[in-house]
Amino acid sequence: MTHGTPPAGPPADPNLAPHLDRDFVGYGRTPPHADWPGGARLAINFVINYEEGSEYSIPDGDGFSEASLTESPDSPNGPGSRDLAAESMYEYGTRVGFWRLHRMFTERGLPVTVNACALALERNDEVAAAIRETEWDICCHGWRWVEHWTLSEDEEREHIRRAVASLERTTGARPLGWYCRHGPSVHTRRLVVEHGGFLYDSDSYADELPYWTRVNEQSHLVVPYSLATNDSKFSRNHFPTGDDYFNHVKDAVDLLWEEGAKTPRMMSCGLHLRLIGHPSRAAGLAKLLDYVAAKDGVWVTRRLDIARHWAARHPAG
């Protein structure tokens, strides 16, 4: 067997939009100093994903019942047959889980970002009212909780338009951030910029700091998200208990805090109401909230505040 340099592969597409070109370098060995408020070593953003009521379902004409990120993610019901168990697990998220997390964050005075699917909030006036009463920010999570890469460009453009208009009605303000389910289509970022009014999107997992990209000859801010410190691991049994969740995220907080003495970073903690909203898991979240609230040099903040800070302190070149 011989070892050598692998073939280079096909040349890059000269027609590829700059924001679709892959970047394996990023900030490299000299990331910018974030200069977080108060000299914080670490910015932490907790994100409630409000999806329940916008998932794929037979009543909404999709032909199957969504079961992702539930206690039984592999639905035994085939296409065309309603999975009433899965439907009720989603309903738990809005009937119980939301209010448990709402109490946990408001009692501690900690800010939250809501990744909101527009149709989901349309279907729960009481939750929409509760969000309006807080200072939480809204990041648009689409019109529905669907895979955007399966939509045509025109369909996706319409989903974005409907989502923004709907969230402005239900929350009283238009969303300034955007995040797709799992990942975007090749059109998403361009369509978000084309629609206008967005300060950032989070359709990337590529960094621990915000960064700028170019879309149609204009600068566009990306505030990366994370699936590493995300409660979605509960549904895959990577976090069997609330303590497993707490210890996993705590280790990330502690390491980033240590590194932050020289290079402050950010981290995202994604939360799903139908997962971490259950009591035993929420107990782990409560321990985490108390831990970060007591730790010096940690800025618990909204995603919008991170984006605004970065745009002001590290404007596009």
Side-chain angles (χ1 to χ4, degrees), residues 51 54-57 62 64 66 117 119 141-151 155-156 159 178-184:
E51 301 156 347
S54 68
E55 77 278 6
Y56 293 111
S57 72
D62 300 305
F64 70 99
E66 176 85 64
C117 291
L119 181 60
H141 202 15
W143 164 243
R144 295 187 60 197
W145 195 53
V146 298
E147 290 105 343
H148 270 239
W149 64 87
T150 67
L151 303 175
E155 287 173 332
E156 187 170 19
H159 272 238
W178 173 272
Y179 173 65
C180 282
R181 173 178 178 168
H182 180 71

Short mmCIF file of all heavy atoms in Angstrom, two decimals, residues 51 54-57 62 64 66 117 119 141-151 155-156 159 178-184:
data_model
loop_
_atom_site.label_atom_id
_atom_site.label_comp_id
_atom_site.label_asym_id
_atom_site.label_seq_id
_atom_site.Cartn_x
_atom_site.Cartn_y
_atom_site.Cartn_z
N GLU A 51 -41.67 24.54 18.64
CA GLU A 51 -41.98 23.85 17.38
C GLU A 51 -43.32 23.13 17.39
O GLU A 51 -43.92 22.88 16.33
CB GLU A 51 -40.87 22.82 17.09
CG GLU A 51 -39.49 23.43 16.98
CD GLU A 51 -38.35 22.48 17.28
OE1 GLU A 51 -38.60 21.37 17.81
OE2 GLU A 51 -37.19 22.83 16.98
N SER A 54 -46.40 22.85 14.75
CA SER A 54 -46.00 23.17 13.37
C SER A 54 -45.31 21.99 12.71
O SER A 54 -44.89 22.09 11.56
CB SER A 54 -45.06 24.38 13.36
OG SER A 54 -43.82 24.06 13.96
N GLU A 55 -45.19 20.87 13.44
CA GLU A 55 -44.50 19.70 12.90
C GLU A 55 -45.35 19.01 11.84
O GLU A 55 -46.54 19.28 11.70
CB GLU A 55 -44.16 18.72 14.04
CG GLU A 55 -45.32 17.88 14.56
CD GLU A 55 -46.19 18.60 15.58
OE1 GLU A 55 -45.98 19.80 15.82
OE2 GLU A 55 -47.08 17.94 16.14
N TYR A 56 -44.73 18.11 11.09
CA TYR A 56 -45.47 17.32 10.11
C TYR A 56 -46.59 16.55 10.81
O TYR A 56 -46.39 15.94 11.86
CB TYR A 56 -44.55 16.31 9.42
CG TYR A 56 -43.48 16.92 8.54
CD1 TYR A 56 -42.14 16.85 8.89
CD2 TYR A 56 -43.81 17.54 7.33
CE1 TYR A 56 -41.15 17.39 8.07
CE2 TYR A 56 -42.83 18.08 6.50
CZ TYR A 56 -41.51 18.00 6.88
OH TYR A 56 -40.53 18.54 6.06
N SER A 57 -47.78 16.59 10.22
CA SER A 57 -48.90 15.85 10.81
C SER A 57 -49.94 15.57 9.74
O SER A 57 -50.04 16.30 8.74
CB SER A 57 -49.54 16.63 11.96
OG SER A 57 -50.28 17.75 11.47
N ASP A 62 -49.86 16.39 5.74
CA ASP A 62 -48.52 15.92 5.38
C ASP A 62 -48.44 14.43 5.09
O ASP A 62 -47.42 13.96 4.60
CB ASP A 62 -47.54 16.27 6.50
CG ASP A 62 -47.46 17.77 6.74
OD1 ASP A 62 -47.19 18.50 5.77
OD2 ASP A 62 -47.69 18.21 7.88
N PHE A 64 -48.19 11.94 7.19
CA PHE A 64 -47.58 11.11 8.24
C PHE A 64 -47.47 11.94 9.51
O PHE A 64 -47.58 13.18 9.48
CB PHE A 64 -46.21 10.59 7.83
CG PHE A 64 -45.13 11.65 7.76
CD1 PHE A 64 -44.24 11.83 8.81
CD2 PHE A 64 -45.00 12.45 6.63
CE1 PHE A 64 -43.26 12.80 8.74
CE2 PHE A 64 -44.01 13.42 6.56
CZ PHE A 64 -43.13 13.60 7.61
N GLU A 66 -45.24 13.28 12.63
CA GLU A 66 -43.88 13.53 13.09
C GLU A 66 -43.68 12.94 14.48
O GLU A 66 -44.54 13.08 15.35
CB GLU A 66 -43.65 15.03 13.14
CG GLU A 66 -42.30 15.46 13.68
CD GLU A 66 -41.22 15.47 12.63
OE1 GLU A 66 -41.33 16.26 11.68
OE2 GLU A 66 -40.26 14.69 12.78
N CYS A 117 -41.36 28.66 15.59
CA CYS A 117 -42.06 28.34 14.36
C CYS A 117 -43.38 29.12 14.37
O CYS A 117 -44.14 29.04 15.34
CB CYS A 117 -42.32 26.85 14.24
SG CYS A 117 -40.81 25.87 14.01
N LEU A 119 -46.35 29.07 12.82
CA LEU A 119 -47.65 28.42 12.94
C LEU A 119 -47.87 27.90 14.35
O LEU A 119 -49.00 27.92 14.86
CB LEU A 119 -47.77 27.28 11.92
CG LEU A 119 -49.10 26.53 11.91
CD1 LEU A 119 -50.27 27.46 11.60
CD2 LEU A 119 -49.05 25.37 10.92
N HIS A 141 -37.90 30.48 13.31
CA HIS A 141 -37.56 29.07 13.08
C HIS A 141 -38.38 28.50 11.91
O HIS A 141 -38.57 27.30 11.82
CB HIS A 141 -37.84 28.28 14.36
CG HIS A 141 -37.11 26.99 14.49
ND1 HIS A 141 -36.02 26.63 13.72
CD2 HIS A 141 -37.32 25.93 15.34
CE1 HIS A 141 -35.60 25.43 14.07
NE2 HIS A 141 -36.37 24.98 15.05
N GLY A 142 -38.87 29.42 11.06
CA GLY A 142 -39.64 29.00 9.90
C GLY A 142 -41.13 29.14 10.11
O GLY A 142 -41.61 29.35 11.22
N TRP A 143 -41.86 29.01 9.02
CA TRP A 143 -43.32 29.00 9.09
C TRP A 143 -43.79 27.73 9.79
O TRP A 143 -44.64 27.77 10.67
CB TRP A 143 -43.89 29.08 7.68
CG TRP A 143 -45.32 28.71 7.54
CD1 TRP A 143 -45.83 27.66 6.82
CD2 TRP A 143 -46.46 29.35 8.13
NE1 TRP A 143 -47.20 27.61 6.94
CE2 TRP A 143 -47.61 28.66 7.74
CE3 TRP A 143 -46.59 30.46 8.96
CZ2 TRP A 143 -48.88 29.01 8.14
CZ3 TRP A 143 -47.87 30.82 9.36
CH2 TRP A 143 -49.00 30.11 8.94
N ARG A 144 -43.18 26.61 9.40
CA ARG A 144 -43.44 25.32 10.05
C ARG A 144 -42.11 24.64 10.31
O ARG A 144 -41.08 25.01 9.76
CB ARG A 144 -44.32 24.43 9.16
CG ARG A 144 -45.72 24.97 8.92
CD ARG A 144 -46.56 23.94 8.18
NE ARG A 144 -46.66 22.71 8.94
CZ ARG A 144 -47.06 21.54 8.42
NH1 ARG A 144 -47.36 21.46 7.13
NH2 ARG A 144 -47.15 20.46 9.17
N TRP A 145 -42.15 23.59 11.15
CA TRP A 145 -40.94 22.84 11.48
C TRP A 145 -40.74 21.76 10.41
O TRP A 145 -41.03 20.59 10.62
CB TRP A 145 -41.06 22.23 12.88
CG TRP A 145 -39.75 21.76 13.44
CD1 TRP A 145 -38.60 22.48 13.55
CD2 TRP A 145 -39.46 20.46 13.96
NE1 TRP A 145 -37.60 21.72 14.12
CE2 TRP A 145 -38.12 20.48 14.38
CE3 TRP A 145 -40.21 19.30 14.11
CZ2 TRP A 145 -37.50 19.36 14.94
CZ3 TRP A 145 -39.60 18.20 14.69
CH2 TRP A 145 -38.26 18.22 15.09
N VAL A 146 -40.26 22.20 9.26
CA VAL A 146 -40.07 21.31 8.11
C VAL A 146 -38.65 21.47 7.59
O VAL A 146 -37.96 22.45 7.89
CB VAL A 146 -41.08 21.62 6.98
CG1 VAL A 146 -42.51 21.40 7.46
CG2 VAL A 146 -40.90 23.04 6.45
N GLU A 147 -38.22 20.50 6.78
CA GLU A 147 -36.88 20.55 6.19
C GLU A 147 -36.89 21.50 5.00
O GLU A 147 -37.51 21.21 3.98
CB GLU A 147 -36.42 19.16 5.75
CG GLU A 147 -36.14 18.22 6.90
CD GLU A 147 -37.22 17.18 7.10
OE1 GLU A 147 -38.34 17.38 6.56
OE2 GLU A 147 -36.95 16.18 7.78
N HIS A 148 -36.19 22.60 5.13
CA HIS A 148 -36.22 23.61 4.07
C HIS A 148 -35.57 23.14 2.79
O HIS A 148 -35.90 23.63 1.71
CB HIS A 148 -35.58 24.91 4.57
CG HIS A 148 -36.57 25.84 5.20
ND1 HIS A 148 -36.80 27.12 4.75
CD2 HIS A 148 -37.42 25.66 6.25
CE1 HIS A 148 -37.73 27.69 5.48
NE2 HIS A 148 -38.11 26.83 6.41
N TRP A 149 -34.67 22.19 2.88
CA TRP A 149 -34.01 21.71 1.66
C TRP A 149 -34.95 20.88 0.78
O TRP A 149 -34.61 20.57 -0.36
CB TRP A 149 -32.75 20.92 2.00
CG TRP A 149 -33.01 19.66 2.76
CD1 TRP A 149 -33.29 18.41 2.25
CD2 TRP A 149 -32.98 19.49 4.18
NE1 TRP A 149 -33.46 17.49 3.26
CE2 TRP A 149 -33.27 18.12 4.46
CE3 TRP A 149 -32.74 20.35 5.25
CZ2 TRP A 149 -33.32 17.61 5.75
CZ3 TRP A 149 -32.80 19.83 6.54
CH2 TRP A 149 -33.09 18.49 6.78
N THR A 150 -36.12 20.55 1.30
CA THR A 150 -37.10 19.82 0.48
C THR A 150 -38.04 20.77 -0.26
O THR A 150 -38.84 20.33 -1.08
CB THR A 150 -37.94 18.87 1.34
OG1 THR A 150 -38.77 19.64 2.23
CG2 THR A 150 -37.06 17.93 2.15
N LEU A 151 -37.97 22.07 0.04
CA LEU A 151 -38.86 23.05 -0.57
C LEU A 151 -38.25 23.58 -1.86
O LEU A 151 -37.03 23.68 -1.99
CB LEU A 151 -39.10 24.23 0.37
CG LEU A 151 -39.67 23.93 1.76
CD1 LEU A 151 -39.71 25.21 2.59
CD2 LEU A 151 -41.05 23.31 1.66
N GLU A 155 -41.31 28.07 -2.93
CA GLU A 155 -41.98 27.65 -1.71
C GLU A 155 -41.24 28.19 -0.49
O GLU A 155 -41.86 28.67 0.47
CB GLU A 155 -42.04 26.13 -1.63
CG GLU A 155 -43.03 25.49 -2.58
CD GLU A 155 -42.92 23.98 -2.59
OE1 GLU A 155 -41.81 23.45 -2.31
OE2 GLU A 155 -43.94 23.32 -2.89
N GLU A 156 -39.93 28.12 -0.51
CA GLU A 156 -39.15 28.59 0.63
C GLU A 156 -39.29 30.10 0.80
O GLU A 156 -39.41 30.60 1.92
CB GLU A 156 -37.68 28.21 0.46
CG GLU A 156 -36.86 28.53 1.70
CD GLU A 156 -35.46 27.95 1.66
OE1 GLU A 156 -34.98 27.62 0.55
OE2 GLU A 156 -34.84 27.86 2.73
N HIS A 159 -42.53 30.61 2.52
CA HIS A 159 -42.45 30.22 3.93
C HIS A 159 -41.82 31.32 4.76
O HIS A 159 -42.29 31.64 5.86
CB HIS A 159 -41.65 28.92 4.07
CG HIS A 159 -42.47 27.68 3.93
ND1 HIS A 159 -42.55 26.72 4.92
CD2 HIS A 159 -43.25 27.23 2.91
CE1 HIS A 159 -43.35 25.74 4.51
NE2 HIS A 159 -43.78 26.03 3.30
N TRP A 178 -32.77 34.33 12.15
CA TRP A 178 -33.34 33.21 11.39
C TRP A 178 -32.56 31.93 11.69
O TRP A 178 -31.33 31.97 11.80
CB TRP A 178 -33.28 33.49 9.89
CG TRP A 178 -33.71 32.29 9.08
CD1 TRP A 178 -32.91 31.25 8.66
CD2 TRP A 178 -35.03 31.96 8.67
NE1 TRP A 178 -33.66 30.30 8.00
CE2 TRP A 178 -34.96 30.72 7.98
CE3 TRP A 178 -36.27 32.61 8.79
CZ2 TRP A 178 -36.09 30.11 7.44
CZ3 TRP A 178 -37.38 32.00 8.24
CH2 TRP A 178 -37.29 30.76 7.57
N TYR A 179 -33.30 30.80 11.83
CA TYR A 179 -32.66 29.49 11.99
C TYR A 179 -33.58 28.41 11.45
O TYR A 179 -34.73 28.30 11.88
CB TYR A 179 -32.35 29.21 13.47
CG TYR A 179 -31.85 27.81 13.73
CD1 TYR A 179 -30.63 27.37 13.21
CD2 TYR A 179 -32.59 26.91 14.50
CE1 TYR A 179 -30.18 26.08 13.44
CE2 TYR A 179 -32.14 25.63 14.74
CZ TYR A 179 -30.93 25.21 14.21
OH TYR A 179 -30.48 23.94 14.44
N CYS A 180 -33.09 27.61 10.48
CA CYS A 180 -33.87 26.52 9.91
C CYS A 180 -33.89 25.30 10.83
O CYS A 180 -33.06 25.17 11.73
CB CYS A 180 -33.24 26.07 8.58
SG CYS A 180 -33.58 27.13 7.19
N ARG A 181 -34.80 24.40 10.55
CA ARG A 181 -34.75 23.07 11.17
C ARG A 181 -33.50 22.36 10.66
O ARG A 181 -33.32 22.15 9.46
CB ARG A 181 -36.00 22.27 10.80
CG ARG A 181 -35.93 20.82 11.28
CD ARG A 181 -37.19 20.07 10.95
NE ARG A 181 -37.09 18.68 11.36
CZ ARG A 181 -38.11 17.82 11.41
NH1 ARG A 181 -39.32 18.22 11.07
NH2 ARG A 181 -37.93 16.58 11.80
N HIS A 182 -32.61 22.01 11.56
CA HIS A 182 -31.38 21.26 11.30
C HIS A 182 -30.41 22.01 10.40
O HIS A 182 -29.30 22.32 10.80
CB HIS A 182 -31.67 19.87 10.72
CG HIS A 182 -30.42 19.08 10.46
ND1 HIS A 182 -29.66 18.58 11.48
CD2 HIS A 182 -29.79 18.75 9.31
CE1 HIS A 182 -28.61 17.94 10.97
NE2 HIS A 182 -28.67 18.03 9.66
N GLY A 183 -30.81 22.29 9.19
CA GLY A 183 -29.91 22.96 8.26
C GLY A 183 -30.68 23.61 7.13
O GLY A 183 -31.83 23.24 6.84
N PRO A 184 -30.07 24.58 6.46
CA PRO A 184 -30.76 25.32 5.41
C PRO A 184 -30.69 24.60 4.07
O PRO A 184 -29.98 23.60 3.92
CB PRO A 184 -29.97 26.62 5.35
CG PRO A 184 -28.56 26.19 5.66
CD PRO A 184 -28.71 25.10 6.70
#
